[in-house]
């Protein structure tokens, strides 16, 4: 008796997610918007950053957390955010303009990765001060995206950063944790990581994210677009029991 030959496994394809027409259109707009990202300037110190009248979204995270990869994936570009072969080497704040028809309406700020052991202690301390000042005082800052490798969870430095921005979050600053490299987790481990970090995030949104499998990319892109365009958000659906206006 011969056993039937097994068909080779199909190559990975993005999982089909049921979305209505309006949601699909919002995702299309958000992805197209982020794809317009382009380099504006780089600054070694906070005082060297230009004063821009545009909403700013900052990307932060430990070295090796996948920050550059996430930015490149969200913008559908290969080298917008430079990933150094030596983590922690890049020590500048890089700004990218975003906007349709070559008219910027928001800025993405790529902050240096922190916590890498090979970086001299003085450099670490200097960048902790620069990042702290930026996150506490940058007037145009509208949202913060923290990259975290879910296999390690939020580290002490991540939690310090959360404490730094907590007063601004309470005043309306948007906050998202992307659990990068989610493709390396099983489904149960992913669910567990989400539950733990949601408790630690204290009000921020948390999403699993994989550049390899494109997991969470659409949702994160749409969220960033809404942060930068609050005036274009659809009105909230009335809750059950609410009286009509």
């Amino acid at each position: 008796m011969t056993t039937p030959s097994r068909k080779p496994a199909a190559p990975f394809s993005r999982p089909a997610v049921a979305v209505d027409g309006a949601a699909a259109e919002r995702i299309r707009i958000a992805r197209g918007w982020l794809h317009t990202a382009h380099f504006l300037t780089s600054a070694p110190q906070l005082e060297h950053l230009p004063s821009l009248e545009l909403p700013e979204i900052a990307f932060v995270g430990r070295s090796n957390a996948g920050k550059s990869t996430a930015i490149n994936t969200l913008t559908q570009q290969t080298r917008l955010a430079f990933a150094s072969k030596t983590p922690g080497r890049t020590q500048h704040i890089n700004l990218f303009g975003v906007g349709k028809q070559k008219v910027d309406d928001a800025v993405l700020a790529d902050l240096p990765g922190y916590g890498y052991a090979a970086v001299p202690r003085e450099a670490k301390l200097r960048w902790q001060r620069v990042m702290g000042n930026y996150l506490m005082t940058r007037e145009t800052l509208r949202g913060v995206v923290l990259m975290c490798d879910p296999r390690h969870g939020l580290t002490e430095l991540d939690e310090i950063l959360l404490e730094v921005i907590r007063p601004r979050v309470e005043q309306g600053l948007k906050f998202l944790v992307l659990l990068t490299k989610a493709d390396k987790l099983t489904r149960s481990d992913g669910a567990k990581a989400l539950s733990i970090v949601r408790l630690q995030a204290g009000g921020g949104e948390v999403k699993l994210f994989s550049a390899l499998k494109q997991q969470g990319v659409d949702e994160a892109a749409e969220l960033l677009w809404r942060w930068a365009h609050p005036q274009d958000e659809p009105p909230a659906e009335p809750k059950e029991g609410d009286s009509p206006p």
Side-chain angles (χ1 to χ4, degrees):
M1 179 177 176
T2 60
T3 56
S5 59
R6 297 180 61 182
K7 293 182 179 179
F12 175 81
S13 59
R14 293 179 64 178
V17 179
V19 293
D20 60 33
E25 178 64 9
R26 290 195 298 271
I27 290 170
R28 185 192 69 80
I29 291 172
R31 296 299 302 273
W33 172 72
L34 281 169
H35 187 50
T36 68
H38 56 278
F39 178 77
L40 285 179
T41 189
S42 182
Q45 296 285 354
L46 190 61
E47 58 267 24
H48 297 154
L49 287 177
S51 297
L52 302 172
E53 300 297 326
L54 296 173
E56 203 157 290
I57 298 171
F59 290 80
V60 299
R62 282 179 61 88
S63 301
N64 277 348
K67 179 167 57 67
S68 296
T69 299
I71 293 173
N72 290 336
T73 300
L74 285 166
T75 59
Q76 302 166 74
Q77 301 188 40
T78 56
R79 288 183 62 81
L80 181 70
F82 178 68
S84 172
K85 292 182 179 179
T86 304
R89 177 68 58 81
T90 304
Q91 296 192 359
H92 285 68
I93 298 174
N94 297 311
L95 300 185
F96 309 106
V98 191
K100 289 284 193 173
Q101 299 177 338
K102 298 183 179 180
V103 179
D104 293 341
D105 59 10
V107 173
L108 308 180
D110 181 12
L111 274 62
Y114 51 83
Y116 189 62
V119 175
R121 183 173 181 273
E122 302 78 43
K124 290 182 184 179
L125 293 174
R126 181 173 67 86
W127 269 109
Q128 286 175 20
R129 289 193 296 271
V130 170
M131 290 179 63
N133 288 336
Y134 170 89
L135 293 169
M136 289 188 294
T137 65
R138 186 70 169 169
E139 293 183 359
T140 51
L141 187 63
R142 293 292 176 272
V144 175
V145 183
L146 170 64
M147 311 295 171
C148 170
D149 186 333
R151 295 169 299 174
H152 307 304
L154 293 179
T155 65
E156 181 181 0
L157 288 175
D158 295 325
E159 292 176 353
I160 291 172
L161 185 144
L162 292 182
E163 286 301 314
V164 167
I165 67 171
R166 193 175 304 281
R168 295 195 69 175
V169 171
E170 292 171 353
Q171 295 169 6
L173 180 72
K174 304 298 184 182
F175 177 54
L176 167 67
V177 180
L178 286 184
L179 301 180
T180 58
K181 308 178 185 180
D183 51 278
K184 299 182 183 295
L185 301 177
T186 64
R187 186 182 298 270
S188 61
D189 285 341
K192 182 179 179 181
L194 274 175
S195 298
I196 293 173
V197 177
R198 278 172 178 157
L199 290 174
Q200 295 173 309
E205 298 203 43
V206 184
K207 295 184 183 297
L208 290 170
F209 187 93
S210 168
L212 177 65
K213 294 188 175 181
Q214 292 288 294
Q215 181 180 4
V217 176
D218 288 347
E219 296 91 334
E222 190 203 356
L223 186 60
L224 300 188
W225 187 89
R226 285 193 279 116
W227 286 2
H229 305 86
Q231 71 280 3
D232 295 329
E233 280 200 60
E237 297 257 345
K239 296 180 181 179
E240 186 176 349
D242 285 352
S243 57

